């Protein structure tokens, strides 16, 4: 006999679980179905190298989760079910070829004095930005946390108009349309300060010259300055474990090794799902798919709305990422100075022009000659992730093409990730070795995760795209994933879309899932 639930959710990423928890809290009987052997999608933690060394598979930074509306409502329950945070006061830094570094710590004067050593003008600009951040954060956070409705966005702009007048609204709009380079050039003099912040754009598909990208370096810089960075104690997967436990305590369920073969649609309405083993799970109220846009059409078939279907088929993905998980005997000996051992993130992205070149190469299908390296040092703030005295390093290699057409350096001839993985990983480790000599000798074990492996593990990460779709202006805000459907609705009755491909997009803030649950159940 077929099982019947109020809500059926495809995929067990953090957006799915946030959605399920809220629906269950509103009295829905909810089931989450996951093709993989464990829940979490890109947010999970495992011993990928050696026993006792715990690595975050993809996402590491839980600052957005800790500051989210979902956590504000359910934080106590999550804490009771094992979620705790490891705060980092020394948040992120960048190293430079001349042997210097620059970093943001959760103390204004500490950060400002570092900047002042480069430029007194930039130090003043940093203090001014920090002072203005609470007022600036109000419309920005309101915008990013609002349902994707014209009325909601209009209300936020109206509030800003009441506060700062027409000029203020125009300034805000101009900022939201600015590229990282444009805003950084206007704001700072030092190329090193610009590079320090521009590196954050590369986390979210915003190379230096992409319109609309200034928001993210600004928010990361100011939020880390104001609040610090937050990691999950024991790994980012602790958030998934806690959400799963809260859901089950409220009567919901997560079923793994349960691949969905198709979404059942009858008379224009979604009625349930059919699993690969033939089981059917029926839904009284909603079928919710946390999948990449093209996959939604594959599961549900053509919706009858040609514009929507075409939008999903043409949905653009960002370049991929390679992950390198390292179990190490000790932290890197950074040539720029031992203070770098205190930072959660060290960016090896020393130049804005280099970042632009790297992005262009990856977009052209080339393995970049100088990829951006994000070196996470989580055991600095959470020693529980490794045996006593040992450490893990979390390396993101950005950008990397999903489909390889060539090598920008002319050295790697492989066109498939199975054979390109080792030489490209060696290129990344060469860069790390350049800034921290002797790091290779500290490696006890390593695990390479290519873009192809990321997609095989989680089909939402198309071509290794960890953010499930470009966030460029033509595919963000009201246009994510398709104009008119940024609230998670679809042309099919009772079928809804969530996850990073839906407004407000990627990150660990659980906004798409939580907003959809509020839309469905209040």
């Amino acid at each position: 006999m077929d099982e019947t639930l109020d809500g059926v959710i495809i995929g067990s990423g953090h957006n799915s679980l946030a959605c399920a928890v809220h629906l269950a809290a509103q009295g829905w009987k909810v089931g989450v179905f996951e093709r993989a052997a464990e829940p979490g999608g890109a947010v999970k933690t495992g011993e990928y190298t050696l026993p006792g060394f715990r690595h975050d598979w993809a996402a590491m930074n839980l600052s957005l989760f800790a500051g989210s509306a979902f956590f504000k409502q359910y934080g106590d329950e999550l804490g009771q079910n094992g979620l705790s945070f490891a705060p980092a006061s020394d948040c992120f830094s960048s190293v430079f070829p001349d042997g210097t570094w620059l970093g943001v710590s959760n103390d204004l004067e500490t950060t400002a004095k570092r900047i002042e050593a480069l430029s007194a003008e930039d130090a003043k600009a940093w203090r001014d930005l920090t002072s203005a951040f609470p007022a600036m954060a109000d419309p920005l956070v309101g915008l990013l946390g609002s349902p994707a409705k014209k009325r909601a966005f209009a209300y936020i702009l109206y509030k800003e108009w009441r506060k700062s007048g027409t000029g203020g609204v125009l300034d805000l709009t101009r900022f939201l349309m600015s590229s990282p380079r444009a805003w950084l050039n206007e704001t700072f003099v030092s190329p090193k300060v610009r590079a320090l912040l521009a590196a954050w754009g590369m986390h979210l598909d915003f190379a230096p010259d992409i319109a609309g990208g200034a928001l993210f370096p600004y928010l990361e810089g100011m939020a880390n300055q104001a609040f610090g960075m937050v990691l999950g104690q024991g790994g980012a997967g602790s958030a998934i474990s806690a959400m799963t436990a809260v859901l089950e305590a409220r009567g919901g369920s997560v079923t793994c090794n349960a691949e969905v073969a198709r979404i059942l649609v009858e008379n224009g309405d979604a009625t349930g799902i059919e699993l690969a083993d033939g089981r059917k799970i029926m839904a009284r109220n909603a079928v919710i798919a946390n999948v990449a846009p093209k996959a939604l059409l594959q599961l549900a078939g053509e919706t009858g709305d040609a514009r929507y279907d075409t939008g999903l088929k043409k949905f653009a993905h960002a370049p991929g990422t390679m992950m390198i998980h390292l179990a190490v005997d000790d932290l890197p000996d950074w040539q720029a100075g031992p203070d770098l051992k205190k930072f959660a993130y060290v960016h090896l992205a020393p130049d804005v022009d280099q970042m632009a070149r790297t992005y262009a190469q990856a977009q052209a299908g080339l393995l970049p000659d100088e990829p951006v390296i994000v070196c996470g040092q989580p055991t600095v703030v959470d020693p529980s992730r490794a045996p006593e005295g040992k450490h893990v390093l979390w390396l993101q290699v950005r950008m990397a093409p999903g489909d390889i057409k060539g090598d920008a350096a002319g050295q790697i001839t492989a066109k498939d990730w199975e054979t390109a993985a080792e030489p490209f990983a060696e290129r990344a480790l060469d860069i790390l070795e350049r800034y921290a000599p002797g790091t290779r000798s500290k490696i006890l074990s390593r695990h390479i995760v290519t873009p192809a492996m990321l997609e095989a593990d989680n089909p939402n990460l198309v071509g290794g795209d960890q953010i499930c779709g470009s966030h460029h202006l033509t595919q963000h805000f009201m246009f994510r994933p398709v104009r008119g459907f940024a609230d998670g609705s679809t042309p099919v009755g009772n079928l809804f879309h969530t996850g990073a491909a839906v407004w407000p997009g990627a990150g660990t803030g659980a906004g798409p899932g939580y907003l959809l649950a509020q839309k469905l159940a209040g």
Side-chain angles (χ1 to χ4, degrees), residues 337-362:
D339 283 349
L340 280 167
K341 292 186 178 185
K342 301 185 297 183
F343 281 82
Y345 277 10
V346 181
H347 284 123
L348 283 61
D351 178 78
V352 172
D353 290 334
Q354 175 242 316
M355 291 181 231
R357 186 179 73 249
T358 294
Y359 184 80
Q361 289 170 348

Side-chain angles (χ1 to χ4, degrees), residues 153-500:
F153 290 165
Y155 177 67
I156 292 166
L157 293 176
Y158 173 72
K159 282 176 60 180
E160 184 64 17
W161 177 77
R162 289 287 302 270
K163 182 177 73 175
S164 56
T166 301
V169 172
L170 290 174
D171 288 344
L172 176 63
T173 303
R174 181 177 182 271
F175 171 68
L176 290 172
M177 293 190 298
S178 294
S179 69
R181 190 195 298 265
W183 176 69
L184 290 166
N185 284 352
E186 287 179 0
T187 309
F188 299 106
V189 174
S190 169
K192 292 180 179 179
V193 179
R194 295 170 182 170
L196 172 72
L197 295 174
W200 278 109
M202 301 296 277
H203 285 251
L204 203 65
D205 189 39
F206 279 108
D209 300 301
I210 303 296
L215 172 64
F216 300 100
Y218 168 79
L219 280 180
E220 287 290 350
M222 291 296 98
N224 279 274
Q225 177 66 88
F227 309 117
M229 185 181 287
V230 170
L231 307 186
Q233 189 74 36
S238 60
I240 299 300
S241 300
M243 283 195 282
T244 301
V246 171
L247 174 62
E248 291 173 344
R250 288 185 172 275
S253 63
V254 177
T255 304
C256 292
N257 295 308
E259 183 168 2
V260 176
R262 66 188 181 107
I263 295 169
L264 304 174
V265 179
E266 186 176 342
N267 298 323
D269 292 330
T271 58
I273 60 173
E274 182 177 345
L275 301 180
D277 64 9
R279 285 182 294 159
K280 293 182 180 179
I281 316 296
M282 310 310 291
R284 296 186 189 92
N285 300 333
V287 174
I288 300 165
N290 183 351
V291 298
K294 294 181 182 69
L296 183 59
L297 284 183
Q298 293 167 2
L299 290 173
E302 301 288 324
T303 67
D305 185 321
R307 184 176 65 82
Y308 177 79
D309 292 351
T310 300
L312 294 192
K313 291 174 184 175
K314 294 186 176 182
F315 187 83
H317 284 274
T321 298
M322 172 188 273
M323 300 296 307
I324 306 177
H325 301 298
L326 299 178
V328 292
D329 196 45
D330 198 1
L331 291 170
D333 291 314
W334 297 101
Q335 196 169 41
D339 283 349
L340 280 167
K341 292 186 178 185
K342 301 185 297 183
F343 281 82
Y345 277 10
V346 181
H347 284 123
L348 283 61
D351 178 78
V352 172
D353 290 334
Q354 175 242 316
M355 291 181 231
R357 186 179 73 249
T358 294
Y359 184 80
Q361 289 170 348
Q363 285 285 62
L366 302 178
L367 296 168
D369 55 2
E370 185 85 6
V372 168
I373 312 294
V374 186
C375 180
Q377 303 180 125
T379 37
V380 168
V381 293
D382 180 14
S384 72
R385 299 186 186 209
E388 186 174 357
K390 309 299 181 184
H391 294 272
V392 299
L393 294 181
W394 174 93
L395 299 186
Q396 278 190 327
V397 186
R398 296 179 178 265
M399 302 285 184
D403 295 316
I404 304 170
K405 296 179 181 177
D407 177 28
Q411 299 167 347
I412 300 172
T413 58
K415 299 291 181 68
D416 63 277
W417 273 111
E418 188 174 349
T419 48
E422 285 291 336
F424 192 58
E426 286 299 317
R427 178 173 297 171
L429 292 174
D430 284 344
I431 294 171
L432 177 60
E433 189 78 10
R434 190 189 313 156
Y435 289 100
T439 300
R440 267 199 175 87
S441 66
K442 302 175 189 288
I443 297 174
L444 303 173
S445 181
R446 73 181 188 183
H447 182 237
I448 300 169
V449 186
T450 67
M453 291 167 66
L454 286 171
E455 183 174 358
D457 177 76
N458 180 352
N460 285 3
L461 308 184
V462 177
D465 167 18
Q466 290 193 0
I467 57 176
C468 199
S470 168
H471 288 63
H472 297 178
L473 288 176
T474 54
Q475 199 170 272
H476 202 31
F477 297 100
M478 301 294 288
F479 304 103
R480 190 168 190 87
V482 179
R483 175 177 57 78
F485 299 95
D487 62 351
S489 62
T490 76
V492 178
N494 297 333
L495 175 60
F496 299 91
H497 194 189
T498 193

Side-chain angles (χ1 to χ4, degrees), residues 67 133-146 156 215 219 227 503:
F133 179 58
M136 185 71 164
D138 185 45
L140 293 179
V141 173
L143 187 67
L144 295 173
S146 291
I156 292 166
L215 172 64
L219 280 180
F227 309 117
W503 168 261

